[in-house]
Amino acid sequence: MSENHLLSPNSAPHSDVEDIKRQSDYLRGSLTETLEDRISGSIPEDDNRLMKFHGSYMQDDRDLRNERNKQKLEPAYQFMVRVRAAGGVVTPEQWLMMDNIAQQFANGTIRLTTRQSFQLHGVIKWNMKQVIQEVNEALLSTLAACGDVNRNVMCNPNPYESEVHQEVYEWAKILSNHLDPRTRAYHEIWLDEEKVVDSRDGVEQEPIYGPVYLPRKFKIGIAVPPSNDVDVFSQDLGFIAIHEEGRLLGFNIAVGGGMGMTHGDPKTYPQVARVIGFVTPEQLLDVAEKTVMIQRDYGDRAVRKHARFKYTIDDRGIEWFVHELEQRLGWELEPVRSYHFEHNGDRYGWVKGSDDNWHFTLFIQNGRVKDEGNYLLQSGLREIAKVHTGDFRLTPNQNLLIGNVTSEKKPEIEQLIQAYGLTDGASYSALRRNSMACVSLPTCGLAMAEAERYLPTLLDDIELILDEAGLRDEEIVIRMTGCPNGCARPALAELSFIGKAVGKYNMYLGGGFSGNRLNKLYRENIGEAEILNELRPILNRYAKEREEGEHFGDFAIRAGYVKEVRSGLDFHE
């Protein structure tokens, strides 16, 4: 790697994406004209780069690609639309809107993401504008759900647990709004807002992001100990709530996390965020804004796979970052305060909140909301939304919480849960309840192997091994992705599989149960038979030799299967 990425943005070379952003007139490009073209279902690549900022990726159905090519037809182009809501909280009316759009304009299903957002798949180009308009009419948005900006701000989705959780959720909303792009391009293109002036030259459109936005995406999450369900150490910028006796004192700051890497390139790696100090709640926005601006000014704009914030910090050192941050803030961070994480999973079933309302967490395998066979999940949630007076909360683990159910409404909601057979996952293994997978094939263009469609089948076979070993009720965090970009945060799992080719995966062991430690490569490029053959003796040995309270990831390290990895700089060693 050259030293170009250490230069200032004005003197360093830059990628073609930087030119596209700079010439886009603050994300407008030629999107208006492109969307009016009815000849092709695709859009030019320059506009596709800009579409991400507006909350959408162009994809095609890869299951149909070969057949359409034989018929000399263009690929089955379609768009993924991502709808964000800070902390994943939506009203029943907003849920019904998403369900209606899924049925009318998408592939009929709703996907709950690992960042507490919605995804719709299969939207065709000429329906995009109506879809985005309906989303905004319901007071949600797709703006900044993708692109080189701050993405959806995550936080613990269970504010009912305490007043602290509610306060943290409010800060997540404020922070999300504060870091929204300011350009009016989104409103002009999708919501028919009149363009005020023709020339933007000399007009400061983006006081935080500037005319070329960030070098890459930026992710923020807020965790409330003892739960690390947002995987705060996977975030570019993480905040760890510090609270005592029901009072929010402030936040520890964690910087430089990130999951993505590239197979075969040791210069890329996942990384865990490092905790650098403490701030009061009132200082949170200032810290977040200045951190984003540091990445704006120093992030690598020449090589996109080296453009994430983790590399900016690792190249220069954590001491450099703290100094730069404090210089911009004009004040010093306080020392880190003590905290403790116990887990990063969800807690299922009915729970009574501090406000005396009830909350029910559903297990939704890999976040896919659909009716399948006799399991009418989507229909059941639709009927619940029609009578529900509380809210719905998307969890960071792709599950769904039916929140703020009053004691008067609880029997009615419970009856619908029973009538449609909606499950809290109690009948599944603890492994399955702690599983996540990315979308992968057939829609993701980056996928090398299956994930969402395959993990449930693999779990069927692993559960047989667990039953033999007496481990069915043992919580083990397992994750699968179809490529190394890390959307399901696989590098933090105790057991994970990252796709290399169709039917082939890299197998990783040794992540921390509470999301505080990276895992390490154990076997490379193996298929299902090899996966099961490798896992059987490891799980049997774990059942027999584990120490009291020892988690699987800790055992994998103690037993010598892999070395402990505390930093991404050691991930490939």
Side-chain angles (χ1 to χ4, degrees):
M1 180 69 66
S2 71
E3 296 303 309
N4 286 331
H5 60 280
L6 298 178
L7 302 174
S8 71
N10 295 323
S11 59
H14 54 266
S15 69
D16 59 340
V17 179
E18 296 300 305
D19 286 330
I20 293 169
K21 288 186 288 184
R22 190 177 299 277
Q23 297 164 11
S24 72
D25 188 17
Y26 292 95
L27 308 182
R28 289 170 177 82
S30 57
L31 276 172
T32 299
E33 297 78 11
T34 291
L35 292 166
E36 292 173 354
D37 171 26
R38 293 297 185 108
I39 297 175
S40 170
S42 69
I43 62 175
E45 182 55 29
D46 284 11
D47 280 339
N48 188 37
R49 295 280 190 176
L50 298 179
M51 277 285 282
K52 297 175 183 180
F53 290 84
H54 298 265
S56 180
Y57 289 81
M58 183 173 70
Q59 303 175 331
D60 73 286
D61 190 331
R62 293 172 64 179
D63 286 347
L64 304 177
R65 191 179 284 178
N66 289 338
E67 183 59 34
R68 290 183 69 85
N69 185 50
K70 289 178 185 177
Q71 298 177 24
K72 294 182 169 49
L73 298 171
E74 73 172 12
Y77 289 117
Q78 54 188 253
F79 289 82
M80 180 275 285
V81 178
R82 185 176 294 152
V83 179
R84 67 189 183 98
V89 179
V90 296
T91 66
E93 293 75 21
Q94 289 168 333
W95 181 274
L96 287 171
M97 175 274 298
M98 292 299 304
D99 182 77
N100 180 65
I101 290 178
Q103 299 294 326
Q104 188 174 357
F105 297 113
N107 66 0
T109 71
I110 299 171
R111 186 55 150 68
L112 311 183
T113 79
T114 57
R115 290 203 67 79
Q116 299 178 288
S117 300
F118 293 102
Q119 282 184 187
L120 299 173
H121 294 91
V123 180
I124 57 176
K125 184 173 76 173
W126 26 90
N127 288 334
M128 283 287 294
K129 189 168 184 176
Q130 184 171 351
V131 166
I132 291 178
Q133 286 184 345
E134 291 193 18
V135 166
N136 279 267
E137 286 170 6
L139 303 182
L140 292 174
S141 180
T142 67
L143 175 65
C146 321
D148 298 343
V149 289
N150 177 60
R151 303 287 183 87
N152 195 45
V153 177
M154 300 172 69
C155 76
N156 186 300
N158 306 329
Y160 64 82
E161 288 187 8
S162 67
E163 292 180 3
V164 167
H165 288 76
Q166 181 64 41
E167 194 173 351
V168 166
Y169 168 61
E170 295 300 329
W171 278 113
K173 289 194 297 182
I174 293 169
L175 179 55
S176 181
N177 292 334
H178 185 73
L179 295 177
D180 273 352
R182 296 292 183 255
T183 174
R184 302 306 296 176
Y186 181 85
H187 301 81
E188 294 168 12
I189 294 168
W190 306 106
L191 308 181
D192 295 325
E193 179 184 278
E194 184 176 350
K195 190 173 183 180
V196 179
V197 293
D198 291 325
S199 175
R200 304 281 164 160
D201 293 342
V203 178
E204 180 59 75
Q205 284 291 302
E206 297 287 4
I208 296 176
Y209 293 116
V212 286
Y213 298 86
L214 298 181
R216 282 290 301 276
K217 58 189 174 184
F218 197 90
K219 298 179 177 181
I220 298 177
I222 309 177
V224 185
S227 173
N228 185 24
D229 49 3
V230 304
D231 272 331
V232 71
F233 300 112
S234 73
Q235 312 288 337
D236 292 272
L237 174 60
F239 293 101
I240 302 168
I242 305 300
H243 52 99
E244 289 181 2
E245 299 178 353
R247 189 166 64 93
L248 178 64
L249 303 180
F251 303 91
N252 283 341
I253 308 164
V255 296
M259 293 289 97
M261 61 176 176
T262 301
H263 284 316
D265 185 351
K267 294 179 181 179
T268 67
Y269 48 84
Q271 183 60 286
V272 284
R274 283 134 287 181
V275 182
I276 59 171
F278 171 88
V279 295
T280 65
E282 294 73 23
Q283 295 170 322
L284 180 142
L285 292 184
D286 201 10
V287 167
E289 178 183 298
K290 298 304 188 295
T291 300
V292 167
M293 294 171 82
I294 290 171
Q295 171 62 354
R296 177 198 69 189
D297 294 343
Y298 288 98
D300 189 348
R301 294 185 182 271
V303 182
R304 281 185 68 81
K305 66 182 180 180
H306 187 262
R308 289 293 298 275
F309 187 42
K310 59 185 176 184
Y311 300 122
T312 306
I313 290 180
D314 287 351
D315 287 347
R316 293 169 172 80
I318 195 69
E319 296 80 10
W320 166 86
F321 171 75
V322 173
H323 175 74
E324 181 71 20
L325 177 62
E326 291 180 340
Q327 286 287 104
R328 297 191 185 213
L329 291 170
W331 44 269
E332 294 184 358
L333 305 176
E334 294 183 35
V336 174
R337 305 221 181 163
S338 62
Y339 64 94
H340 171 67
F341 286 127
E342 295 178 356
H343 60 85
N344 63 357
D346 291 332
R347 295 299 175 258
Y348 298 100
W350 283 109
V351 176
K352 191 172 186 179
S354 58
D355 56 3
D356 289 331
N357 283 341
W358 291 88
H359 315 269
F360 187 85
T361 302
L362 286 166
F363 171 68
I364 299 181
Q365 188 155 257
N366 299 327
R368 183 68 66 176
V369 178
K370 63 179 178 179
D371 290 346
E372 187 170 27
N374 295 325
Y375 189 45
L376 304 180
L377 171 63
Q378 190 167 3
S379 294
L381 288 171
R382 185 183 307 129
E383 295 307 311
I384 289 172
K386 291 176 182 177
V387 301
H388 185 30
T389 56
D391 50 42
F392 291 98
R393 300 173 186 267
L394 286 61
T395 84
N397 294 295
Q398 303 175 306
N399 296 308
L400 183 69
L401 188 149
I402 304 168
N404 284 306
V405 180
T406 64
S407 296
E408 293 75 21
K409 272 285 182 182
K410 184 171 181 283
E412 184 177 10
I413 300 296
E414 175 66 25
Q415 190 276 325
L416 288 168
I417 289 172
Q418 296 297 327
Y420 284 90
L422 306 189
T423 181
D424 60 2
S427 63
Y428 295 131
S429 69
L431 180 76
R432 193 177 295 261
R433 291 195 301 271
N434 282 276
S435 67
M436 285 202 297
C438 71
V439 173
S440 198
L441 295 168
T443 51
C444 180
L446 301 175
M448 302 174 179
E450 295 279 4
E452 178 187 334
R453 296 194 297 192
Y454 173 56
L455 182 58
T457 301
L458 180 63
L459 285 172
D460 289 340
D461 293 326
I462 297 176
E463 283 170 340
L464 295 177
I465 299 173
L466 294 175
D467 289 342
E468 295 170 4
L471 294 172
R472 188 174 183 84
D473 297 324
E474 186 69 26
E475 290 194 281
I476 299 173
V477 178
I478 180 173
R479 295 170 182 173
M480 175 179 281
T481 57
C483 82
N485 283 281
C487 292
R489 305 190 290 275
L492 291 174
E494 296 179 282
L495 170 62
S496 73
F497 302 93
I498 298 178
K500 285 280 303 260
V502 176
K504 298 291 184 180
Y505 300 85
N506 284 357
M507 176 178 167
Y508 296 79
L509 298 174
F513 181 73
S514 63
N516 63 338
R517 182 182 64 231
L518 295 170
N519 54 29
K520 191 168 184 62
L521 180 65
Y522 177 67
R523 291 289 183 266
E524 189 172 7
N525 204 33
I526 59 177
E528 181 175 295
E530 296 161 296
I531 289 171
L532 297 175
N533 286 338
E534 292 287 349
L535 270 178
R536 180 171 281 104
I538 298 174
L539 288 170
N540 282 325
R541 187 178 170 191
Y542 173 56
K544 296 173 183 176
E545 300 179 16
R546 58 183 166 156
E547 297 176 352
E548 182 70 26
E550 186 175 31
H551 291 293
F552 179 69
D554 300 328
F555 171 79
I557 294 169
R558 184 174 65 82
Y561 291 106
V562 291
K563 293 181 180 179
E564 181 180 41
V565 180
R566 288 285 178 180
S567 167
L569 297 171
D570 303 322
F571 186 75
H572 295 294
E573 290 185 359

